[in-house]
Amino acid sequence: QVHLVESGGGSVQAGGSLRLSCTATGYTGTSACVGWFRQAPGKEREAVAATWLDGSTTFGVDSDSVRTRFTISLDNTKNTIYLQMNDLKPEDTAMYVCAGGRPDGRTCGTARAFFEYWGRGTQVTVSS
């Protein structure tokens, strides 16, 4: 069973940076899709970035604002997925959730359909 645990959220002023971490357990190989989503109050969950667990390919979203400021990366030795967020803006305030696809999955991207497992999330609050 795949289990995802996020950490690293907090409160920061606009223009600041945070690095979120997600520790994934239950994957025996690196053929799996993992990613980050976020959900603000009253809004739908939206993708932020995704990657194969082996780091071979990363997937961004259409939003230039997100794609140019947020970077997904991995530490394969720890099965940890990071989300580096720079130049944070108040509109980035949301619960950030780590997502995992099926073990030995064959497809990956930022669509929710690629993911079956979800963490509980870590809150990010950006003040102006």
Side-chain angles (χ1 to χ4, degrees):
Q1 181 73 12
V2 173
H3 191 52
L4 305 165
V5 178
E6 304 94 335
S7 62
S11 297
V12 63
Q13 289 191 329
S17 298
L18 281 174
R19 188 177 79 160
L20 307 182
S21 300
C22 170
T23 301
T25 56
Y27 288 119
T28 57
T30 57
S31 180
C33 188
V34 292
W36 287 96
F37 286 72
R38 67 183 182 182
Q39 187 164 17
K43 295 188 176 181
E44 291 192 358
R45 185 170 291 186
E46 63 175 359
V48 176
T51 181
W52 282 108
L53 196 55
D54 63 6
S56 58
T57 306
T58 60
F59 303 87
V61 295
D62 291 338
S63 167
D64 286 344
S65 177
V66 171
R67 192 173 61 250
T68 58
R69 297 181 296 119
F70 293 5
T71 303
I72 190 170
S73 63
L74 296 163
D75 182 340
N76 288 333
T77 64
K78 300 178 182 178
N79 257 20
T80 299
I81 305 102
Y82 300 104
L83 183 68
Q84 178 66 43
M85 306 186 295
N86 298 325
D87 190 23
L88 283 160
K89 306 177 185 298
E91 52 264 39
D92 295 319
T93 294
M95 181 70 75
Y96 284 73
V97 182
C98 184
R102 295 178 59 182
D104 298 322
R106 297 189 177 191
T107 55
C108 189
T110 54
R112 290 186 65 170
F114 291 120
F115 301 97
E116 295 190 359
Y117 305 98
W118 301 86
R120 292 190 172 185
T122 184
Q123 178 68 36
V124 172
T125 302
V126 185
S127 58
S128 57

